Amino acid sequence: MTTQGRAEPVEWSADAGQAVIQSRAAGRGPLLPVLHALQETFGYIDPQTVSLIAKALNLSRADVHGVLTFYSDFRTTPPGRTQVQVCRAEACQAMGGRDLADHVRRRLGIGFGETSHAGGFSLDQVFCLGNCALAPAVTIDGRLVGRVTPARFDGLLGQLAPERSSS
């Protein structure tokens, strides 16, 4: 089943995590492909997976942890049912992105890198969505939207299914 173009995550377990790791472990430079596959499968990378990855790839846990925490696209906690990204790059900032970012944080009641208490929303900042001509831009569950004002953002949230729009 998919939600707005993204697959519903599988519940994390050590066995399922090990299967994903093994499916990518034989490739060249497998750490990033393994991390991406884990996040795609589970929606996040459970911290318990670090030791499984380290053992399978013959790396230290510190090496795996360092890569996992270096890249802001990797999550170590389950995402909300609805994932929102706000572009914070220069073009979006010049077109009202700061005000939009402030509004989105207030509207969702969370900061960047956080998930709402009830698990309704995750909010992340990104530093270019490649939609500069239509700044400011956001994604909602991977769907890119340009020329977003605070009022338009509220309208986009209102279009979500009721069970997904509650925080």
Side-chain angles (χ1 to χ4, degrees), residues 106-117:
R106 280 191 311 272
R107 176 71 164 79
L108 298 180
I110 54 176
F112 289 120
E114 296 178 355
T115 298
S116 62
H117 179 69

Side-chain angles (χ1 to χ4, degrees), residues 69-104:
T69 57
F70 177 78
Y71 293 103
S72 62
D73 285 341
F74 292 129
R75 305 185 65 82
T76 57
T77 58
R81 290 181 299 280
T82 300
Q83 296 178 41
V84 177
Q85 294 179 314
V86 177
C87 183
R88 307 279 287 152
E90 290 80 4
C92 286
Q93 295 296 344
M95 298 301 293
R98 283 189 182 93
D99 291 339
L100 176 62
D102 291 342
H103 175 78
V104 170

